[in-house]
């Protein structure tokens, strides 16, 4: 049991960025790159992909860590729809935050499981499938970018995982030179 409990900590050790190089990253561009990586899998599963990622969504994060979190969430959504469905990914700036929502039309997540999804070894799929570490690691990766991962779901109506990150200032947000 003790060895099993060490597994998530060891995996997180690999995921940690030693220098914690948080910088301005375009979350929309990171999500687009992830969608390009999974495009073939989505097509083979007959999953329609809709993306609303046209506007820049600058956040303070570590780019590769953020991409890995998005990849985990998108792959999780695809696993929820093995025989087709709709995968939607949207990035939207709202006040001081940027929210990236990844939604699927899979079977949804039972309420009894939802409160424990981000704990190690918890699964929303049947026993014998998955390790129960994917969402735990995704949440840890988002936290490493100083963000928050949340989920909304209703059985039979899919799930929406939302990554909320600190919005980086746009060039137009910065004060210009003082006029005299």
């Amino acid at each position: 049991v003790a060895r099993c409990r060490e597994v998530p900590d060891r995996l997180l050790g690999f995921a940690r960025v030693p220098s914690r190089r948080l910088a301005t990253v375009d979350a929309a561009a990171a999500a687009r790159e992830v969608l390009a990586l999974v495009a073939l899998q989505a097509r083979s599963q007959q999953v329609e992909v809709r993306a609303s990622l046209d506007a820049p969504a600058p956040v303070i994060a570590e780019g590769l860590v953020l991409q890995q979190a998005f990849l985990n969430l998108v792959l999780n959504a695809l696993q929820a729809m093995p025989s087709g469905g709709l995968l939607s990914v949207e990035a939207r700036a709202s006040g001081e935050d940027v929210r990236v929502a990844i939604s699927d039309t899979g079977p949804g997540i039972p309420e009894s499981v939802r409160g424990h999804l981000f704990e190690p070894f918890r699964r929303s799929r049947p026993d014998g499938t998955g390790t129960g570490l994917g969402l735990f690691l995704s949440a840890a990766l988002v936290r490493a970018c100083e963000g928050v991962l949340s989920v909304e779901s209703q059985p039979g109506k899919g799930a929406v995982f939302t990554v909320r990150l600190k919005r980086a200032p746009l060039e137009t947000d910065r004060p210009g030179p003082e006029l005299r």
Side-chain angles (χ1 to χ4, degrees):
V1 172
R3 290 182 114 173
C4 287
R5 288 181 178 226
E6 288 178 23
V7 170
D9 290 333
R10 287 184 181 183
L11 289 171
L12 284 173
F14 289 114
R16 287 190 183 100
V17 179
S19 61
R20 295 270 323 214
R21 290 186 178 174
L22 298 179
T24 299
V25 175
D26 184 354
R32 276 193 305 274
E33 289 177 25
V34 165
L35 290 178
L37 288 173
V38 300
L40 183 60
Q41 180 179 345
R43 273 194 304 275
S44 71
Q45 289 180 218
Q46 298 180 352
V47 171
E48 178 185 350
V49 177
R50 289 188 192 157
S52 181
L53 302 167
D54 296 331
V59 297
I60 305 297
E62 202 289 318
L64 293 176
V65 171
L66 184 60
Q67 274 189 321
Q68 184 63 54
F70 289 163
L71 180 62
N72 290 356
L73 294 169
V74 166
L75 289 173
N76 205 54
L78 289 173
Q79 287 175 352
M81 302 178 292
S83 302
L86 173 64
L87 168 67
S88 297
V89 181
E90 175 185 21
R92 179 180 301 172
S94 173
E96 295 182 7
D97 294 337
V98 167
R99 295 171 193 249
V100 178
I102 298 167
S103 62
D104 65 65
T105 57
I109 302 165
E111 188 174 339
S112 61
V113 176
R114 241 177 285 143
H116 304 284
L117 273 181
F118 303 121
E119 296 174 8
F121 305 112
R122 297 296 184 136
R123 293 187 301 262
S124 61
R125 290 189 285 277
D127 287 340
T129 58
T131 61
L133 292 173
L135 292 174
F136 168 72
L137 290 172
S138 296
L141 292 168
V142 170
R143 278 193 307 275
C145 293
E146 299 181 1
V148 176
L149 175 61
S150 62
V151 63
E152 293 178 30
S153 180
Q154 293 180 8
K157 296 190 178 186
V160 179
F161 287 86
T162 303
V163 176
R164 186 173 46 102
L165 299 157
K166 183 179 177 184
R167 183 174 167 257
L170 295 170
E171 290 297 320
T172 57
D173 292 343
R174 297 189 182 146
E178 288 185 30
L179 299 176
R180 295 182 189 209

